[in-house]
Amino acid sequence: MTAQDRLWQMDAFRRNANGELAEIMGSSMVRHDKTQRVLQFRNTARRIYANLPAEDRARLDDYARGVNLFIAQHLDSKDGASLPPEFRLLAIARSRGAAWTR
């Protein structure tokens, strides 16, 4: 349900934390992205995940599977037309290789 209602927001927040906003927002975000990469939010999240109890990791894995199912179902439509409009406006091509991870 979250992906259905908030996929664009989820993707933007992920890109923000990972230092990948310049890819979609342009070169004005490069400095921001460099800072985010120095802060290593992605690596911190991976360490936290690795140290969670198995039960909690399973919940996060299930959540990611649900997001990926939603994406896969909507990528099957012509040009991803069923994805949120922000993806089309910014010409963001979601590929099957860009899976949502926990």
Side-chain angles (χ1 to χ4, degrees):
M1 292 302 296
T2 307
Q4 176 182 319
D5 296 336
R6 300 283 183 187
L7 185 60
W8 163 251
Q9 185 178 26
M10 293 165 61
D11 192 62
F13 285 170
R14 175 175 61 174
R15 288 174 185 274
N16 178 54
N18 291 340
E20 298 169 349
L21 280 177
E23 295 174 19
I24 61 169
M25 301 285 191
S27 60
S28 65
M29 298 304 297
V30 169
R31 186 173 180 177
H32 171 271
D33 285 354
K34 286 180 180 179
T35 300
Q36 294 301 90
R37 290 179 185 202
V38 167
L39 295 173
Q40 297 187 11
F41 288 116
R42 180 184 295 169
N43 290 336
T44 300
R46 286 181 180 149
R47 282 193 306 273
I48 291 169
Y49 173 83
N51 289 293
L52 287 173
E55 186 175 284
D56 292 340
R57 285 194 312 269
R59 285 188 190 104
L60 292 173
D61 292 342
D62 290 344
Y63 180 86
R65 244 186 323 279
V67 173
N68 286 322
L69 177 61
F70 177 83
I71 293 169
Q73 290 171 339
H74 290 79
L75 280 175
D76 290 339
S77 66
K78 183 181 177 189
D79 299 326
S82 295
L83 289 174
E86 295 90 348
F87 287 97
R88 292 187 307 281
L89 289 171
L90 291 171
I92 300 171
R94 301 275 312 167
S95 70
R96 293 194 190 283
W100 188 265
T101 58
R102 62 240 168 237

